[in-house]
Each structure stands twice: as C-alpha cells, then as structure tokens.
Amino acid sequence: MKHPHTFHVPPYQVSPNGRIHISKVPLAGTETIWLKLCKNYFNLLNDIYICFAYCVQANSSVMQQDFMPEDIYDNLDCQLAKFNALGDIVLMTDANARTRTAIDYIVNEDNSHIPVPHPSLYETDSVATFPRNNMDNGSNTYGTRFLETCRKVPLRICNGRKVGDLLGNFTCYHRGIGQSSIDYGAVS
C-alpha cells in the first residue's frame, strides 16, 4: 500500500518534503536492476539495496553477444560486494542455478582468532543457521557459483527456509523437460 502522502516520480519515490526514499541505482549493464530503500524514511538501521538479477543460461545464444560479461557471476559478485559495503541486500534472481540443499554458508566458522578490537565487529557466518529444503535434487555449474556468491557476501537463500516456502518448491516448470528450482530470494 502506498504511503498516503507520497507521489511517484520515476525513477524515484518522493515524499512531500522532497526527500527521496526509494531510488533506482544507476548502474551499467543489462543483467541487474538495483533499488535503494532509504533507512531514514523506513526507520531502519541500514539502507536496503534490492537487486533483481537475471543470469543468462551458460549455453544460451545471448551469452555469445558482445555486451554480455564474460562471467555473469563475477559481474554479480562485484555488484553485491559494492552494495553490501553500503547496506543490507535483498537479491531476487533468476539464477539458472540448481543447488540441491547444498550449504550456502561457511561451516564451523569461528571469529575467536581474528584480531579485531571487538568480536561483534566480525559476525560469524554459521550462527543460528536454519537448514534449507529443496525439492530439486539437481545441481549444475551455476548452482556451485551461486552458492560461492552466497558464502562470499554472505547471503542466505530464503527458498526452503522461510514461511511460504518451507519445502523449497520448484520455481521453474518446462513442459516435456520437467521442473527445477532456479529462481531464488536471498538476503544478507
């Protein structure tokens, strides 16, 4: 529901006092769209950066085009690292990645030997993890790369973990080919 005192001016959402609280982040490329939710307007601790990403299938004729990055995941990794340093991330992606129930975090990570002034400055990656379900038992190279991306940022895959999709339902249905889970929601 729209806030009753706002009006939409593409590519920004502006409140009556003239402050921009949702903005499209200008970024070159055709595979991602980034939006920024302003922490002050939404009363949050951090700005939230929402990424809508499409990872073109590896053998697709589109991948042969000159404008496509050589490694679609390297490009996405760079963008995620940039925005992760600025705030929290929500990633919504057609990743063309099949991950089974493989782990998307660093197992048994420990910050006890990291020379930081206070342990809370470095959050361990495997604290309070919740197992992930996935009805898709397949895996592929993009799945491996997507899981590496999740561990690097770090991001947690929501599919199969959150209310509304506790089973890890299929996200893609192809007549004659079958069904798979290749679309993901992930958060930092």
Side-chain angles (χ1 to χ4, degrees):
M1 184 171 128
K2 283 174 104 176
H3 191 279
H5 301 290
T6 63
F7 55 93
H8 182 68
V9 180
Y12 306 102
Q13 185 78 19
V14 182
S15 58
N17 65 6
R19 292 204 173 148
I20 297 170
H21 53 272
I22 301 175
S23 59
K24 182 178 177 194
V25 179
L27 198 62
T30 59
E31 307 79 42
T32 58
I33 296 172
W34 285 88
L35 299 177
K36 175 186 172 185
L37 304 183
C38 181
K39 66 182 176 184
N40 297 331
Y41 182 82
F42 292 101
N43 200 23
L44 303 168
L45 294 176
N46 299 313
D47 290 328
I48 296 179
Y49 292 87
I50 303 172
C51 178
F52 300 94
Y54 175 63
C55 297
V56 178
Q57 293 177 354
N59 298 325
S60 168
S61 60
V62 175
M63 276 302 280
Q64 310 309 317
Q65 303 297 318
D66 291 336
F67 61 85
M68 292 299 297
E70 190 171 315
D71 184 330
I72 198 98
Y73 275 95
D74 279 347
N75 188 47
L76 182 60
D77 287 353
C78 289
Q79 290 180 22
L80 289 167
K82 172 184 175 179
F83 291 109
N84 190 46
L86 300 174
D88 295 325
I89 292 177
V90 174
L91 173 63
M92 303 302 292
T93 182
D94 177 348
N96 281 303
R98 297 181 73 188
T99 62
R100 297 184 184 178
T101 55
I103 295 171
D104 57 351
Y105 56 89
I106 299 170
V107 179
N108 298 322
E109 186 180 29
D110 182 0
N111 69 355
S112 61
H113 302 291
I114 297 175
V116 292
H118 194 277
S120 67
L121 294 176
Y122 180 81
E123 206 173 308
T124 56
D125 203 17
S126 59
V127 175
T129 58
F130 186 71
R132 182 171 63 91
N133 295 309
N134 191 346
M135 294 176 79
D136 185 354
N137 292 317
S139 63
N140 63 12
T141 304
Y142 272 18
T144 302
R145 289 288 282 120
F146 185 66
L147 291 166
E148 288 171 5
T149 294
C150 289
R151 287 188 287 267
K152 279 192 254 183
V153 172
L155 295 173
R156 287 300 150 269
I157 296 172
C158 295
N159 305 48
R161 265 196 184 116
K162 299 296 180 186
V163 174
D165 186 30
L166 290 174
L167 299 176
N169 291 304
F170 295 111
T171 62
C172 181
Y173 302 88
H174 284 283
R175 190 179 311 173
I177 297 174
Q179 40 198 9
S180 59
S181 296
I182 59 171
D183 307 300
Y184 295 91
V187 296
S188 63

